Amino acid sequence: MTEWEELDLLWGDAEEMSWQERALCAQTDPEAFFPEKGGSTREAKRVCLGCEVQAECLEYALLHDERFGIWGGLSERERRKLKKRAV
């Protein structure tokens, strides 16, 4: 791997972290974003609605196939449906 490729990887990681650091969920109870099966997602989704990085969060979850929790305002089931519609 060249030096430039390594820098690109590091820069990508830095960009990834910057949206995560700005996320409202980072300042909120994480348990709200990972409710027990059948538990309410209302509180987490409310936080997501006001978050400036909601789109980045959802994109991350879709690209990394996150299977648990609320990401970008959507539950795992909602993300699965969104992916199916996109295909």
Side-chain angles (χ1 to χ4, degrees), residues 29-40:
D29 180 11
E31 289 190 24
F33 294 87
F34 295 93
E36 303 253 341
K37 188 171 183 162
S40 176

Side-chain angles (χ1 to χ4, degrees), residues 33-50:
F33 294 87
F34 295 93
E36 303 253 341
K37 188 171 183 162
S40 176
T41 61
R42 190 175 308 142
E43 181 184 343
K45 289 181 175 186
R46 184 180 49 76
V47 171
C48 292
L49 282 175

